Structure formats: structure tokens, C-alpha cells
Amino acid sequence: MVQGFGDDFKELVRSSTNLVDLVSETVSLKPIHGGRDFVGLCPFHDDKNPSFHVYPDRQTYRCWVCDQGGDCFRWVMEMEKVPFPEAMESLARRARLEIPKHKRDDATSENGHRKTDSLAVVEWAVNLMHQALRAGPKADNARQYVKTRKLSEDTVRNFRLGYHPEDWNWFLEQARGRFTPAQLVAAGLIQERNNGPGYFDNLVGRLVFPIIDERGRPVAFGGRVLPGGNIESDAKYWNSLESAIFHKRRTLYAFDRARET
Ligand SMILES: [Zn+2]
């Protein structure tokens, strides 16, 4: 097994793969009438009505019944029951790309892949919450709080402050077809429910401060409960738990500066 693919090679493989063609090798897909997307019978559950969708624009797939979803790598991992490096190799061969020789970097190990995934998930969440604060429909009390605390436009932009709307499944909904619940858990965005199946979001109803690492990458979050919101919490501030990418001792709390403003 060849290991040590970098992110660049991963993206090269992704962009050299047409997900519709790939999925069509297993599932008979039809274009959805009047749209660009494709639909077929889901290979992951006993499907009678086509509920399995492939989105060429995003190069992702998702079943709206059993909730399986992901990109080309996830597809091969699920269909061939192989770990990520083998899925990558398989797709690289399929795209006739030369597979890089052994190269040791921090994406070599299983842990490395988790790290790479979590960084991408956190980056995605930072943007999502930043947009929600700046222009989201249900963020008036968050914007009001920002004004009251005299946090400037520049501060909001530079620290990429964000807001999580009062919706306990917002991350999960927004991530569909892009990240799996397991990836969201690993990145500290959601948690499994204690009393029953399913998940709930962290940071609900909070003003969110990204926590960045020594290389300037967001790796975790701090969130503050807002006055005037509907979320009851004993903890005025909430910080992400430690994860593959977030080590409290080694991480800068850039948002402390914003908080003191
Ligand atoms: Zn399904």
C-alpha cells in the first residue's frame, strides 16, 4: 500500500474523477427532469424509489433515505470497503495518474488523515458561521451584541467571528453530502446524544471565536452565550474539547484579544 499522499495529490485525484461516471459503474443513474443532478436506486439500503442523488456541481452524492453521503473517496471506501489510502490509489489508477513515491509527511498515518479531514471541517464551519453572523437571517441578536461590545467590522472580519443560529441540527444539515457525522464529531462540531440515537450541535446560539494554531489555521472554537437568546446554558463560555488538531497547551487563543476589545 502506498502511503504519504499530500493534499495536493488528493485534490488532483478528485479533480480528475467524474463522480457521475464513477457511480454509474455501479448504479444506474438518470438525470433529474429539468435539473443538472442525477438520481438512482441507493446501493446502501433496500431502495424501491430512487432516493440516491449525485450532484455534479459539488461532486458529491447523498441518499435522502439512509443518509449515506460523501465525495469520490468516500464512495470508493464504502463500495470497496477499503481505507482511505487504498481508495485514493484506486481512483488515481482509474484516472491514469502516476502515484507519488513514498513521502513522509503528516498525512501518512491514519491519524494524519483524520487531522487533514478535521482541518477542512473546521475551516468550513468557520466560514459558515462567519457568513451567518454577517448576513444570516436569524442573527439579529448576535449582530446587536457585536455592536454593543463595540467589536468593529474589521475585528469581525480579521478574527472571522461567527454565529451559530438557534438550531440544534444546523451543522448536520449544512454538512450533508460534504462531511459525515463522524467527521463532524471528530472536528468537535457535534456530539452524539446520550439519551437516544442521533446528534446535536455544539455552539448553538453562541457568538463564536475561532481558535487558531501556531500556523494560523482554525482548529477549534470558543463560543459565548448571547443575551436575549433562547438558549439556556450554565456555561457562558464554551470551548472545543481537545481533538486530533486541537491541543490546548499548544494553541493560541487569538480571540482573547477580540474578547477584550
Ligand atoms: Zn440509501
Side-chain angles (χ1 to χ4, degrees), residues 42-47 51-52 62-68:
C42 177
F44 301 109
H45 79 275
D46 185 18
D47 201 4
S51 38
F52 183 82
R62 188 198 164 199
C63 172
W64 289 83
V65 172
C66 72
D67 222 24
Q68 284 275 354

Side-chain angles (χ1 to χ4, degrees), residues 1-51:
M1 187 172 74
V2 177
Q3 289 189 324
F5 309 112
D7 277 354
D8 289 352
F9 187 67
K10 180 179 177 183
E11 291 314 312
L12 177 63
V13 172
R14 189 201 303 283
S15 60
S16 308
T17 300
N18 181 325
L19 188 62
V20 174
D21 292 346
L22 177 68
V23 171
S24 295
E25 291 170 8
T26 316
V27 177
S28 166
L29 292 174
K30 289 197 176 69
I32 295 174
H33 184 68
R36 267 174 300 185
D37 304 336
F38 291 78
V39 69
L41 290 173
C42 177
F44 301 109
H45 79 275
D46 185 18
D47 201 4
K48 301 289 193 296
N49 299 307
S51 38

